Amino acid sequence: MLKDITLGQFFPGESYIHRLDPRTKIILTVFYIIITFSAKSIFSFAALFLSVVMIIGISKISFKTIIRGIRPVLYIMIFTMILNIFLTNGEDLLFHWKFIKIYKEGIITALLVLVRIIVLITGTSVFITYTTSPIQLTDGIERLFSPLKRIGVPVHDLAMMMSLALRFIPTLIEETDRIMNAQKARGADFSTGSLASRVRALIPIIIPLFVSAYRRAEELAVAMECRCYRGGEGRTRMKILTYGLNDFFAIFIFLLFLAAIILINIYAPGFKL
Amino acid sequence: MSNISNISNIFIKTENLCFSYDNDGEEKVPAIKNASIEIEAGSYVAVLGHNGSGKSTLAKLLNMILLPTSGKIYINGRDITDPEMSEDDMFEVRRQIGMVFQNPDNQLVATVVEEDVAFGPENLGVPPEVIRERVAEALETVGMTAYARHAPHRLSGGQKQRVAIAGIIAMRPECIIFDESTAMLDPVGRKEVLQTIGRLNREAGITVLNITHYMDEAVLADRVIVINDGEIYMDGTPVEVFSQVDKLREAGLEVPQSTELLFRLNALGYEFAPGILTTDDCVAAILAKLSRTE
């Protein structure tokens, strides 16, 4: 069951998005977040939704994978939707019972916020995790933030830590699954009882997981030393990052998209968030 | 081995090597006691010993992950215990002596096979075009070329371990130490890895140190060194070592099943020649004896 989590996993491929420079993809992600939060009009949300469908199509990541990636935040989505439905005030009252008032605006707002969350998660994970290998991502971050080295920020080390963390997500998920099964076999119960007792039931999972993570970290550190790792100095890369025409094109398209969203916000008629 | 005459041929040499782990003020437990060994370049050596015998410690001393308490280690004629050793010299030793560990998951750093193989050469500062060549060559050597763009966590244990070996080969080492590299693998994976190890030794001339507690793996080597309680306990060809069944048992080690069988038959009065190690040889010897008695 835990194996279904795809957040933070890379799917190798040769699509247009796969071939973009990781730095471009980081910049595009930032743009995309800005675009997502600047969308106000119902039409800009429609455009946003269309764009995320197109991005998925171009990346050739299967929709099944995308849906599996969204599933972990399902509860957050439902929670925000409920909050928006019940707490938004408007003019068009649809339902009234005692103190509960549901307005049409509330429902639309809930749907738009839902689209925003889906677009945000899917868009960023397609650019950053699904189509960019952690090493490329690290490379991108390292290069993008290398000016910070001058003021003493250990950019290489932070980037390396991040890529290792991403590398070990599937390994640790597998391990958690194994530990849970081992505890279940001894009669542990994770799914019934009060919240407090369920939280307590997690302790026998978390402790072995931590112990094993530390042991893995130690072994990994030795293995890296054996492979002559000594930080960023004097290190070369197999894949050299180069900006191509594709990268400028992608950034250009996103700038256009941002401009379009802002224009739609201002001029389009109809509901606005 | 007594037939070493040419000094320049010796790749690893230790003299009275001692090492103890620091135990937070408590009495120090010596892990390696007075070990002196010489390992010829291009040889295939198995290091045997039960858990906690110090065999992994010895490996970590050889590539400077641990520093000896006393004694000398020479790699390719160079004294690596010399305090004058610079950091670059240390990394040169680690390049020359690659190490493959037990758990394949804990030694792969990248999420794509080829990027993982490139990790070592990248650390060495090899130019990008050369890294590409070396990665392709290393994957070819271990037979994983078809998986170059795969994610390592989707591979089988044996395949992961072969990727780890490729990652070491790409650094062009003279010697590879396998620290129980087959212990976590299923029989198929073990076979894959052992075949790769044998090929590296025969075809690429890489010196191999296979640290193991599987007797049938030790049989594949040219020479077997048994470590017991941090001391060199036995040293010789597989035939020499495994014919001393009693001495091995004293060190808490078993012998290969075929040797065990013939040893027991001999105890019953049959006269099999000592030093039959593999299943095939054992079958042949028993058949020969049967046809003679008929």
Side-chain angles (χ1 to χ4, degrees):
Chain A
M1 128 211 152
L2 281 170
K3 278 180 189 154
D4 289 343
I5 298 178
T6 59
L7 206 73
Q9 259 183 45
F10 169 54
F11 297 95
E14 288 293 336
S15 78
Y16 177 79
I17 297 181
H18 279 92
R19 280 181 282 122
L20 285 178
D21 187 288
R23 287 170 290 183
T24 311
K25 285 191 258 192
I26 296 168
I27 295 168
L28 291 185
T29 308
V30 175
F31 271 167
Y32 209 57
I33 294 172
I34 295 172
I35 291 171
T36 314
F37 281 103
S38 30
K40 295 272 185 280
S41 157
I42 194 160
F43 291 103
S44 35
F45 274 99
L48 203 59
F49 193 73
L50 205 68
S51 75
V52 86
V53 173
M54 275 169 66
I55 289 169
I56 296 169
I58 296 170
S59 71
K60 294 192 180 123
I61 302 286
S62 73
F63 275 90
K64 221 169 102 192
T65 314
I66 302 286
I67 288 165
R68 262 192 280 156
I70 296 174
R71 213 187 291 157
V73 286
L74 197 67
Y75 290 108
I76 298 175
M77 291 186 340
I78 292 170
F79 184 67
T80 43
M81 270 187 85
I82 290 172
L83 278 187
N84 275 303
I85 287 174
F86 290 107
L87 298 178
T88 311
N89 287 319
E91 288 157 6
D92 209 344
L93 190 63
L94 290 181
F95 178 82
H96 189 183
W97 180 73
K98 289 184 181 167
F99 60 91
I100 298 172
K101 287 176 187 159
I102 295 177
Y103 295 94
K104 191 179 156 197
E105 285 83 356
I107 291 177
I108 297 177
T109 308
L111 286 174
L112 294 188
V113 170
L114 183 73
V115 170
R116 183 177 276 171
I117 296 177
I118 292 176
V119 167
L120 206 59
I121 289 173
T122 319
T124 49
S125 36
V126 167
F127 280 123
I128 295 288
T129 50
Y130 294 159
T131 65
T132 318
S133 80
I135 284 209
Q136 270 184 307
L137 187 65
T138 335
D139 252 16
I141 291 175
E142 205 178 329
R143 296 286 190 84
L144 212 54
F145 293 96
S146 60
L148 294 179
K149 273 180 200 163
R150 285 205 205 117
I151 56 163
V153 180
V155 177
H156 170 81
D157 307 55
L158 290 174
M160 180 50 95
M161 279 189 239
M162 212 185 97
S163 96
L164 287 177
L166 287 173
R167 146 76 184 84
F168 274 90
I169 285 175
T171 310
L172 290 179
I173 286 175
E174 241 175 69
E175 179 113 54
T176 313
D177 232 9
R178 216 171 23 239
I179 296 171
M180 276 178 93
N181 285 335
Q183 305 291 24
K184 272 185 203 156
R186 292 168 201 169
D189 181 6
F190 303 119
S191 47
T192 58
S194 68
L195 189 65
S197 71
R198 271 197 243 179
V199 170
R200 224 174 298 127
L202 288 178
I203 293 173
I205 298 173
I206 289 167
I207 291 175
L209 192 64
F210 263 79
V211 171
S212 112
Y214 274 105
R215 206 183 48 234
R216 280 180 194 282
E218 162 96 39
E219 275 181 36
L220 183 73
V222 172
M224 283 170 75
E225 284 197 308
C226 284
R227 290 168 78 180
C228 300
Y229 180 68
R230 55 183 127 173
E233 257 169 79
R235 205 170 129 77
T236 51
R237 292 295 155 90
M238 176 171 71
K239 288 176 182 157
I240 313 165
L241 299 182
T242 43
Y243 281 125
L245 223 54
N246 282 344
D247 298 288
F248 292 115
F249 181 68
I251 290 176
F252 178 67
I253 292 285
F254 265 62
L255 282 174
L256 273 186
F257 188 39
L258 179 61
I261 292 281
I262 293 170
L263 285 178
I264 294 172
N265 280 341
I266 298 172
Y267 294 110
F271 183 84
K272 277 175 195 165
L273 199 65
Chain B
M1 293 257 272
S2 50
N3 56 351
I4 299 171
S5 50
N6 189 353
I7 299 295
S8 64
N9 236 352
I10 293 166
F11 185 68
I12 298 173
K13 182 179 175 182
T14 69
E15 274 173 7
N16 305 322
L17 188 63
C18 294
F19 179 81
S20 17
Y21 283 101
D22 245 338
N23 229 353
D24 281 332
E26 286 172 44
E27 60 175 313
K28 287 182 177 177
V29 189
I32 296 287
K33 298 174 210 159
N34 241 355
S36 299
I37 38 173
E38 287 182 343
I39 290 168
E40 252 183 306
S43 57
Y44 184 162
V45 179
V47 180
L48 278 175
H50 62 79
N51 287 336
S53 60
K55 53 194 196 307
S56 291
T57 309
L58 179 68
K60 285 184 181 141
L61 285 166
L62 295 179
N63 70 350
M64 301 185 74
I65 294 294
L66 299 172
L67 297 176
T69 319
S70 67
K72 295 265 176 219
I73 305 171
Y74 299 90
I75 302 296
N76 223 351
R78 165 114 214 234
D79 179 9
I80 65 164
T81 54
D82 184 359
E84 302 275 288
M85 286 279 288
S86 70
E87 197 167 76
D88 284 340
D89 293 337
M90 177 178 81
F91 284 110
E92 175 57 17
V93 169
R94 289 188 186 157
R95 184 198 66 77
Q96 286 182 31
I97 303 186
M99 229 171 140
V100 180
F101 295 90
Q102 187 178 47
N103 190 335
D105 276 325
N106 296 353
Q107 47 188 323
L108 300 178
V109 292
T111 35
V112 182
V113 166
E114 58 174 8
E115 286 184 0
D116 188 83
V117 177
F119 183 72
E122 284 178 341
N123 290 335
L124 295 170
V126 175
E129 324 80 66
V130 184
I131 298 182
R132 283 224 163 273
E133 279 167 34
R134 285 199 190 180
V135 167
E137 206 184 286
L139 285 174
E140 176 82 47
T141 311
V142 300
M144 290 294 290
T145 307
Y147 296 88
R149 315 217 35 139
H150 282 234
H153 69 96
R154 297 273 165 87
L155 301 176
S156 75
Q159 288 173 328
K160 279 184 207 168
Q161 207 60 298
R162 274 149 69 200
V163 171
I165 295 173
I168 298 299
I169 300 172
M171 304 201 312
R172 296 280 159 85
E174 270 95 86
C175 169
I176 304 181
I177 302 176
F178 295 89
D179 190 356
E180 307 227 11
S181 303
T182 59
M184 291 180 72
L185 305 180
D186 56 29
V188 179
R190 269 184 70 198
K191 207 172 157 193
E192 287 170 12
V193 170
L194 287 172
Q195 279 170 351
T196 311
I197 296 177
R199 224 176 34 243
L200 285 175
N201 177 253
R202 281 192 313 276
E203 289 166 20
I206 291 174
T207 312
V208 169
L209 241 73
N210 185 16
I211 297 174
T212 179
H213 55 247
Y214 288 114
M215 301 305 137
D216 46 339
E217 273 180 30
V219 169
L220 301 170
D222 307 328
R223 174 180 169 197
V224 178
I225 296 174
V226 182
I227 296 187
N228 189 31
D229 283 336
E231 284 170 10
I232 307 290
Y233 184 70
M234 289 162 92
D235 186 354
T237 62
V239 174
E240 284 164 16
V241 169
F242 290 122
S243 48
Q244 304 178 54
V245 179
D246 290 326
K247 200 173 174 192
L248 277 170
R249 284 207 180 133
E250 260 172 59
L253 291 168
E254 290 298 314
V255 292
Q257 281 182 344
S258 310
T259 316
E260 171 87 35
L261 174 66
L262 297 182
F263 179 76
R264 289 198 190 172
L265 287 173
N266 279 351
L268 293 172
Y270 293 92
E271 282 164 1
F272 285 102
I276 292 168
L277 306 174
T278 63
T279 313
D280 288 344
D281 289 351
C282 173
V283 170
I286 293 174
L287 279 178
K289 189 128 295 193
L290 283 175
S291 60
R292 225 171 298 151
T293 46
E294 264 166 9

